[in-house]
Amino acid sequence: MFMGEYNHTIDAKGRLIIPSRFRELLGEEFVLTRGLDGCLSIYPMDEWVAFEEKLRALPLTNKDARTFSRFFVAGATTCQLDKQGRILVPQTLREFAGLDKDVVLTGNLNRIEVWSKEKWSENCNYDDMDSIAESMQNIGIVI
């Protein structure tokens, strides 16, 4: 399980250090793709395969299903860590997530999210957690 929040930088060539605690769980090869809310997602290969199976099960006759699948798969790339524990983030994915310099990597159970520091600040507003917690009851999450 991935958890925690780490601040790093991405260099001019698009290389990003993956925190050592995450490296062990990723394995030798993993997948980097677009994520929701303007971040990138990194999936260990077994988690990506499970997600891919769910995407394959979507009906091709449904336009939203095709768009949803395309969103994740078209930008996906396999990655391996270099000797310094870095990955190369393709330019298209850097542009999608607005990654320029300061980056936040967060563990989110089965995946790692990669955020620009600015977008992370915008999206981690926890001021209304009481109402969010109440809405989670509607989908069966009770604390």
Side-chain angles (χ1 to χ4, degrees):
M1 174 176 74
F2 296 102
M3 60 183 177
E5 179 181 325
Y6 302 87
N7 292 290
H8 284 278
T9 57
I10 192 165
D11 69 16
K13 295 180 181 179
R15 295 175 299 194
L16 174 66
I17 293 175
I18 302 298
S20 59
R21 291 198 174 174
F22 290 164
R23 289 182 216 157
E24 305 163 9
L25 300 170
L26 283 174
E28 289 187 28
E29 190 174 66
F30 45 92
V31 174
L32 171 68
T33 190
R34 292 180 194 106
L36 299 174
D37 300 318
C39 70
L40 301 179
S41 293
I42 301 173
Y43 292 88
M45 198 54 74
D46 61 334
E47 290 290 344
W48 176 256
V49 169
F51 182 50
E52 190 177 271
E53 288 173 8
K54 291 175 185 176
L55 294 175
R56 286 179 194 269
L58 295 173
L60 286 175
T61 54
N62 183 300
K63 183 172 176 44
D64 286 343
R66 292 190 310 271
T67 302
F68 187 79
S69 179
R70 195 176 299 124
F71 175 80
F72 290 103
V73 179
T77 185
T78 55
C79 295
Q80 294 178 332
L81 295 167
D82 68 11
K83 292 178 183 176
Q84 287 80 35
R86 301 174 301 190
I87 60 170
L88 180 62
V89 180
Q91 181 67 31
T92 55
L93 292 178
R94 289 193 311 249
E95 288 172 4
F96 169 82
L99 303 180
D100 288 324
K101 185 179 178 191
D102 295 322
V103 175
V104 180
L105 293 96
T106 63
N108 197 337
L109 304 174
N110 68 335
R111 69 186 181 282
I112 300 165
E113 293 180 340
V114 181
W115 295 86
S116 73
K117 189 163 188 159
E118 182 180 326
K119 282 187 185 177
W120 174 246
S121 296
E122 293 169 8
N123 280 279
C124 67
N125 180 352
Y126 302 123
D127 293 340
D128 199 18
M129 281 310 296
D130 289 335
S131 65
I132 292 171
E134 284 179 27
S135 72
M136 292 295 100
Q137 287 182 315
N138 296 335
I139 57 173
I141 305 291
V142 180
I143 314 177

